[in-house]
Amino acid sequence: MKIGIPPPYRVVFLDYLRVVAVFMVLLVHACEQFYFGADGGFYIQSLSDASWVVGIDSACRAAVPLFVMASAYLLFPVKRPTGEFLLRRIVRVGVPFAFWCVVYNWWNGGSWGQMLFNFPAATGGHLWFVPMLIGLYLLMPLLSPWAERASEKEVRGWLMLWLFTTTFPFLRKLWGYFYGAPDFGAVPFLYGECPWNSFGTFHYVSGFFGYMLLGFYIRKFLPKLDRRQTMSVAVPLLAIGWLIVSRFFYCRISNYGTEFPVSAPYAAAVDLEMSWEFCSTGVAMTVAAYFLLLRRITGEGAFYRYVVRPLSEASFGVYLVHILILCPVVAALRPHMPTPATIAASAAITFAASSLVCVLGRKIPYAGKLVFG
């Protein structure tokens, strides 16, 4: 086999998808430098910054769910014995995760004891993705026997139920609007949730489970659409989803002040991100749209073999290491460039540098893939 030629099992469009998705992640994290202050609270300097951050970040919120769908498209239902599957997945993502938790903790002077309970806060927060993904890997063998025999109608029904749960961020706000905060907590509870029970009626069919199911559904039941069909479905989904994601965020900024700069505690940023939640309706629509559009890519020429595929294979490593590069780059460029240029240039420079580190790092004998994924 010649070097660089994809083996028969390679799903070409997923390599393009991973490259696009990891660059989206970098854009999101570059945007965050413009709406988080030095103290970690919500802070936006100007109306222009608000507009650019909302527009770019809203378009890129699909990044993490796209990675989940790619994993499900390839791995679900599980074909290997459960023990073998879980061991391979944990080594593949868990070992690099643990290594970089240690690196970030040491670099930022974080609490070592916290690593016994969760990813350390000193990682900058982006490593939350890996424990979530491992959780889905734990679920896949359990659901695989059902997936093997499920009909399209069955799977579509579960997807409809999951789509209902993506409205929950908005339903919680409606609860608060009509009835105020509940007597027993600041966050409105839905369908059986309460302070002593966080597992409501729809807990087990909500969250990233739906993206896992959607990736499986598209692979098994949805024929590849032609160009016209793809555009007629994906473009409206993308446009409407982006409007939902962006407008709710933008319109609610005024709740924290009508004159810029606008600042508020960190909890305000969490509240503002209601429509940015990964498992909310608008984001789910953009995820489906991007996936369908990227599924149309079939090119396997030299650009794919020598650029896209190596970058795809290094994408997990880029996700792990990029914060170490991105923050200093944004800080260096921000005083000299307008906001959109800073966001784009910072993401591009970080992508190039992180990719170079990870592509070369993966070539280190024995340890390379254990460190860079």
Side-chain angles (χ1 to χ4, degrees), residues 76-326:
F76 184 69
V78 174
K79 303 298 183 182
R80 299 176 184 273
T82 298
E84 180 185 346
F85 169 78
L86 293 177
L87 179 62
R88 288 172 66 94
R89 292 294 96 201
I90 289 173
V91 170
R92 171 72 174 82
V93 302
V95 173
F97 165 73
F99 175 85
W100 287 101
C101 277
V102 171
V103 170
Y104 280 103
N105 216 40
W106 168 77
W107 184 267
N108 295 309
S111 168
W112 293 102
Q114 186 180 348
M115 293 177 62
L116 297 173
F117 303 96
N118 203 349
F119 65 90
T123 63
H126 70 294
L127 293 187
W128 69 270
F129 166 73
V130 184
M132 178 276 293
L133 187 60
I134 292 174
L136 289 178
Y137 289 153
L138 292 172
L139 190 62
M140 284 182 182
L142 182 67
L143 295 180
S144 288
W146 167 80
E148 291 280 6
R149 57 177 175 75
S151 67
E152 180 181 2
K153 185 177 180 180
E154 267 188 277
V155 179
R156 194 165 59 241
W158 287 109
L159 280 172
M160 292 300 103
L161 187 61
W162 170 72
L163 283 172
F164 169 64
T165 71
T166 67
T167 67
F168 284 9
F170 306 96
L171 292 183
R172 294 185 198 281
K173 287 297 173 187
L174 280 176
W175 170 292
Y177 177 78
F178 286 117
Y179 304 109
D183 295 335
F184 37 68
V187 178
F189 297 102
L190 295 174
Y191 308 116
E193 300 169 347
C194 55
W196 54 92
N197 173 46
S198 58
F199 305 100
T201 304
F202 300 97
H203 176 85
Y204 300 101
V205 292
S206 61
F208 284 92
F209 155 84
Y211 291 117
M212 182 181 82
L213 202 60
L214 183 59
F216 162 69
Y217 176 83
I218 290 175
R219 191 195 77 241
K220 184 172 181 179
F221 297 112
L222 188 65
K224 190 170 183 180
L225 307 178
D226 62 29
R227 182 178 178 277
R228 183 187 61 80
Q229 291 171 322
T230 299
M231 298 302 287
S232 65
V233 173
V235 171
L237 275 176
L238 185 59
I240 297 170
W242 180 83
L243 283 172
I244 293 172
V245 176
S246 61
R247 294 308 297 176
F248 273 91
F249 187 102
Y250 189 79
C251 292
R252 296 177 69 238
I253 290 175
S254 61
N255 292 345
Y256 300 94
T258 56
E259 294 185 3
F260 289 89
V262 176
S263 63
Y266 175 76
V270 176
D271 178 60
L272 277 171
E273 290 186 4
M274 174 193 73
S275 63
W276 279 6
E277 290 186 23
F278 294 112
C279 299
S280 64
T281 308
V283 174
M285 294 173 74
T286 65
V287 172
Y290 283 129
F291 198 89
L292 292 176
L293 290 168
L294 291 165
R295 196 185 185 203
R296 291 281 306 156
I297 300 176
T298 58
E300 299 183 48
F303 179 71
Y304 168 76
R305 296 196 300 270
Y306 300 113
V307 178
V308 174
R309 182 175 171 183
L311 291 177
S312 170
E313 292 172 342
S315 61
F316 183 54
V318 171
Y319 186 93
L320 294 172
V321 309
H322 74 275
I323 290 294
L324 291 173
I325 300 171
L326 179 69

